[in-house]
Amino acid sequence: MDQTTMYKLTYGLFVLTSAADGKDSGCIINTAGQVTSEPNRISIAVNNSNFTADLVKKSGKFNLSILSEEAVFDTFRHFGFQSGRTADKFAGFPDCRRSANGLYYVTAGTNGWISATVEQSLDLGSHTLFIASVEDMEVLSGVPSATYTYYQSSIKPKPAQPASPGKTVWRCKVCGYIYEGEELPADYICPLCKHPASDFEKVTG
Ligand code: FE
C-alpha cells in the first residue's frame, strides 16, 4: 500500500472562525467541503487541540473564510502557528469584518466566506467532524482558491539552504522551519507550527 496516495487528494485552505463567552478566535484548516446541496450543508474537521474547536462546540456556529492565491504567509503564521488560548488573534487585526451571525470573517487573501450553523458533530478522537447548514455567504474576489499544493509551492517561504556544503539540516515540511543538526530528536516538535518530527525532512548540503 502506497501511503503517498493520500497526497493525491486535493485540499483547500480556510480560516475557521468562531466565538464563545465573548472570545473570538480562528485557526487554519484544510478540511472543508460541501456535503449536500438541498439543503446546503458543509462539513469541517477540526483538530480538538485547537481553541477554535472548543468555540465551535460551545457556540454551534462558525465562519469559513476561503483562502485565495493572494493569501500571504503571514496569514498562515497568524492563524496557524499560535494558539487562541494564549493569543487574541483579532486584537488589532485589521483585515476582518463581522457577518450577521456576529462572527468574524477574514477579508484579505480570501475570495469568499460562508456562515454555518452546526447540525451534527462526531468526535473522531484527534478531530471533531462538524456537519453544518449554510446560513449566509459572499464572494469577495475572483482570485482562485489556494490549494494545499499551491501553499506548498508558492506561499510557504522557500527553504534556506544549509549554511555550508556537507552540513545537514532538517526542514519542517509544513512551515519551512529549519532545525540545524545531524540528527533530529524523535520527540522534536516544530517551534513554529507545532508539527512533530515526522513532518521534517532531511536536507543535506
Ligand atoms: Fe513547522
Side-chain angles (χ1 to χ4, degrees), residues 81 172-177 190-195 200:
F81 301 164
C172 176
K173 289 189 281 188
V174 177
C175 75
Y177 180 82
C190 178
L192 210 52
C193 73
K194 313 302 180 197
H195 279 245
F200 277 74

Side-chain angles (χ1 to χ4, degrees), residues 56-205:
V56 175
K57 288 173 198 171
K58 276 188 186 169
S59 68
K61 60 185 182 177
F62 61 84
N63 282 353
L64 198 64
S65 301
I66 303 160
L67 289 159
S68 78
E69 292 184 356
E70 283 183 347
V72 294
F73 185 64
D74 262 355
T75 301
F76 291 89
R77 189 192 298 273
H78 185 81
F79 286 103
F81 301 164
Q82 57 179 346
S83 173
R85 288 193 180 81
T86 50
D88 181 350
K89 298 185 187 180
F90 284 99
F93 183 77
D95 303 316
C96 57
R97 278 199 287 274
R98 288 194 190 274
S99 53
N101 64 359
L103 303 179
Y104 280 122
Y105 60 91
V106 176
T107 56
T110 52
N111 61 16
W113 58 268
I114 296 171
S115 289
T117 300
V118 174
E119 290 184 358
Q120 298 180 51
S121 60
L122 182 61
D123 189 344
L124 303 175
S126 62
H127 291 64
T128 298
L129 178 71
F130 297 98
I131 308 291
S133 54
V134 173
E135 308 288 357
D136 197 6
M137 51 187 163
E138 183 185 13
V139 171
L140 297 175
S141 90
V143 178
S145 300
T147 62
Y148 187 67
T149 305
Y150 184 85
Y151 169 78
Q152 291 287 341
S153 67
S154 304
I155 297 177
K156 193 175 76 172
K158 291 287 175 279
Q161 289 304 306
S164 58
K167 194 176 169 189
T168 296
V169 299
W170 295 79
R171 177 174 68 210
C172 176
K173 289 189 281 188
V174 177
C175 75
Y177 180 82
I178 297 286
Y179 174 90
E180 292 190 9
E182 282 298 315
E183 292 304 325
L184 184 72
D187 60 352
Y188 191 73
I189 302 288
C190 178
L192 210 52
C193 73
K194 313 302 180 197
H195 279 245
S198 57
D199 283 322
F200 277 74
E201 61 189 354
K202 196 174 191 174
V203 182
T204 308

